[in-house]
Amino acid sequence: MSGTALVGIQWGDEGKGKVTDLLAEHTHCVVRYQGGNNAGHTIVVGDEKYALHLVPTGILYEHCTPVIGPGVVIDPGVLLDEMTALTQRGIDPSSLKISGNAHVIMPYHLELDKVTERFLGRNRLGTTKRGIGPAYADKAARIGIRMQDLLEEKIFSTKLKVALKEKNLVLTRVFGRLPVDETEIREQYIEYGERLRSHITDTALLVQRALDKGENVLFEGAQATMLDLDHGTYPFVTSSNPIAGGACAGAGVGPRDIERIIGITKSYCTRVGSGPFPSEADPADAEVLVEAGGEYGTTTGRKRRCGWFDAVAGRYAARLNTLTELVVTKLDVLSSFESIKVCTAYRYEGERYEEFPPHQTIFNKCTPVYEEFPGWGGDITGARSLDDLPKEARSYLEAVEELVGSPVSWASVGPERDEIVHVRDVS
Ligand code: GDP
Ligand code: IMO
Ligand code: MG
């Protein structure tokens, strides 16, 4: 048995794709356990760049079985397009396994995501508009449609009819939109089901068998801890549980099946969409981070909000995920700064918070307490070992490690597969 969970510990886009790629060589099975095509995981291999949204990163390796677990929400049209695009680039997606229990993102979920955001006006969440929230809401309300339903026309028709009775009323009477067409959706989704039939299976059983055989299974988190529905900055979160505990429910394994829990963090911090962000940098520093880090969303192309590393949020994430190690990415991006800030505590109404505050008002209104670290002022993308890094960069990694309370195993110094420095053996 050897399960590893890989989770983002900030607000997403930490470089999970790159680190999954790093681990893939020794992995037999890569499992997505939550989220949907709101994710955008980038992998750079030589001249090739892949941006995967729904298909697990394991698809890129012949020896890996890529699995979409029951906790994921699937837009089947997007999935098929992604599979076709991979085929066109010479990657065979035939080994992809999809849980029959995974819920389907339907056209009315996309429509509802858009109109809800519009109705929220200045209180909008800034979602990816991929229908994620409405699909998870229907799952919890028990009127969702699952992948296995697409394989039986009679069952699908009945479930669709039940769902549309309510959805079309909401779309037309509440939001003043046009209703969606039942026949069109039925035909389209039955066709999707046919095309995906050979991939749909009991993935929880498949994953358990792999673990029982002693194979390495990697649970590839999407989004991140601070976007977790229960533990993130609610309501500015996604609608699933990206934390490591979410891998158990979302993939169908027990807590004892996961031994190693890797937290991925940027050496600074970014956030896409609305919501509080105490360590958000001033516009001039943010612009440097945006440009040096190429901080534009992989899924929506939106410019990411940029700030300094938040050690309070980092400690919170280390605790919630019981991290066994940290991987710090994009260390090279900080090379542009003479001095680097780290948020070590929050201050609110005269009180200092070193632990994540218990009430959202404190997090919304707090000011960051910064500690400054000297920069190294030179290009580090060529570093391949700890000795190649300037002493200031090594000290910065040590500070992150100490402030978060989790050992750093790797530091990434560029987007390419080999732009990585091994810091220490942890597991
Ligand atoms: P994910 O969603 O966590 O997989 O992250 P994204 O792929 O959305 O965003 C991370 C971006 O940073 C991608 O464009 C990566 O190619 C890039 N990247 C990853 N690691 C590094 C690094 O160490 N340095 C630099 N400069 N870019 C990196
Ligand atoms: P990866 O896996 C960054 C953000 C959205 C929005 C909030 C809710 O690439 O790290 P949703 O569409 O999920 O209802 O939007 O969550 N968000 C992400 N931000 N990276 C992601 O994924 C994200 N997935 C969702 O911007 O603020
Ligand atoms: Mg991303």
Side-chain angles (χ1 to χ4, degrees):
M1 186 279 288
S2 189
T4 298
L6 184 146
V7 296
I9 69 159
Q10 299 173 310
W11 279 278
D13 305 323
E14 295 89 350
K16 297 179 291 294
K18 165 158 179 175
V19 184
T20 307
D21 178 64
L22 183 74
L23 299 172
E25 197 185 327
H26 303 291
T27 300
H28 302 94
C29 195
V30 179
V31 189
R32 275 282 309 269
Y33 57 88
Q34 46 69 233
N37 59 309
N38 47 349
H41 297 176
T42 315
I43 298 105
V44 181
V45 190
D47 292 338
E48 296 287 329
K49 183 171 174 174
Y50 301 92
L52 301 174
H53 299 283
L54 204 43
V55 173
T57 304
I59 197 92
L60 302 178
Y61 312 90
E62 267 176 34
H63 66 274
C64 260
T65 306
V67 174
I68 299 181
V72 176
V73 285
I74 300 175
D75 184 328
V78 170
L79 177 59
L80 282 160
D81 285 349
E82 202 166 333
M83 289 163 74
T84 306
L86 285 166
T87 308
Q88 284 164 352
R89 295 178 72 176
I91 289 158
D92 176 14
S94 60
S95 61
L96 177 67
K97 306 291 178 204
I98 302 167
S99 169
N101 288 358
H103 278 247
V104 182
I105 298 177
M106 301 295 292
Y108 44 85
H109 293 138
L110 294 169
E111 192 60 20
L112 285 167
D113 199 354
K114 280 183 203 139
V115 289
T116 313
E117 281 285 273
R118 213 171 296 155
F119 262 60
L120 283 170
R122 53 188 285 274
N123 295 319
R124 70 181 173 277
L125 309 181
T127 73
T128 58
K129 299 199 178 80
R130 300 299 192 265
I132 306 296
Y136 276 115
D138 277 2
K139 171 178 172 173
R142 292 158 297 177
I143 54 162
I145 291 172
R146 299 190 294 173
M147 289 303 287
Q148 57 183 284
D149 299 328
L150 304 184
L151 305 178
E152 284 185 59
E153 188 158 2
K154 217 166 144 211
I155 291 178
F156 178 62
S157 298
T158 310
K159 292 196 172 185
L160 181 64
K161 212 177 261 305
V162 170
L164 283 187
K165 217 168 157 184
E166 182 212 326
K167 300 299 170 195
N168 273 339
L169 275 179
V170 173
L171 282 173
T172 54
R173 305 250 177 110
V174 178
F175 293 110
R177 308 290 296 174
L178 290 172
V180 293
D181 186 76
E182 185 180 331
T183 311
E184 211 176 289
I185 296 180
R186 190 175 56 241
E187 286 169 5
Q188 173 92 84
Y189 279 67
I190 287 297
E191 191 214 316
Y192 288 153
E194 273 320 307
R195 289 173 64 193
L196 291 169
R197 185 179 286 277
S198 63
H199 298 273
I200 298 174
T201 187
D202 180 349
T203 58
L205 180 63
L206 183 148
V207 170
Q208 196 58 57
R209 290 208 168 129
L211 288 166
D212 289 345
K213 274 195 276 177
E215 292 184 351
N216 293 327
V217 176
L218 180 62
F219 301 94
E220 178 183 2
Q223 289 79 55
T225 305
M226 300 307 286
L227 289 172
D228 186 278
L229 180 60
D230 291 294
H231 304 282
T233 50
Y234 191 90
F236 302 101
V237 293
T238 192
S239 297
S240 65
N241 291 113
I243 55 167
C248 296
V253 298
R256 285 188 295 144
D257 289 324
I258 303 176
E259 284 178 339
R260 186 177 174 197
I261 302 171
I262 309 173
I264 316 298
T265 178
K266 281 179 191 173
S267 59
Y268 51 101
C269 197
T270 64
R271 167 160 216 178
V272 199
S274 324
F277 184 6
S279 66
E280 189 159 17
D282 63 45
D285 286 339
E287 208 44 44
V288 176
L289 290 167
V290 167
E291 290 316 314
E295 294 297 353
Y296 295 90
T298 312
T299 301
T300 58
R302 287 178 289 178
K303 195 195 245 193
R304 296 174 181 144
R305 296 160 66 193
C306 288
W308 304 106
F309 182 74
D310 183 338
V312 184
R315 275 195 291 280
Y316 178 60
R319 167 163 65 85
L320 284 172
N321 291 293
T322 56
L323 295 184
T324 56
E325 68 194 86
L326 270 180
V327 175
V328 177
T329 62
K330 300 191 121 173
L331 192 60
D332 54 303
V333 175
L334 290 181
S335 300
S336 316
F337 293 93
E338 266 177 34
S339 173
I340 302 161
K341 287 185 191 164
V342 170
C343 169
T344 52
Y346 306 142
R347 197 172 285 288
Y348 177 68
E349 290 189 337
E351 222 171 300
R352 185 185 160 97
Y353 292 84
E354 288 189 4
E355 291 293 338
F356 197 74
H359 197 289
Q360 65 169 4
T361 304
I362 306 171
F363 189 73
N364 284 343
K365 298 196 172 158
C366 68
T367 49
V369 176
Y370 285 122
E371 199 173 314
E372 297 228 8
F373 294 85
W376 42 91
D379 183 12
I380 57 166
T381 51
R384 295 294 174 269
S385 76
L386 210 47
D387 291 340
D388 297 337
L389 286 179
K391 72 172 188 324
E392 293 84 357
R394 276 183 274 140
S395 304
Y396 185 74
L397 290 175
E398 278 164 22
V400 167
E401 189 167 74
E402 196 168 314
L403 286 163
V404 173
S406 183
V408 174
S409 53
W410 298 85
S412 175
V413 292
E416 293 268 351
R417 192 178 262 180
D418 67 339
E419 287 175 323
I420 191 96
V421 169
H422 182 238
V423 177
R424 69 170 88 251
D425 275 327
V426 171
S427 46

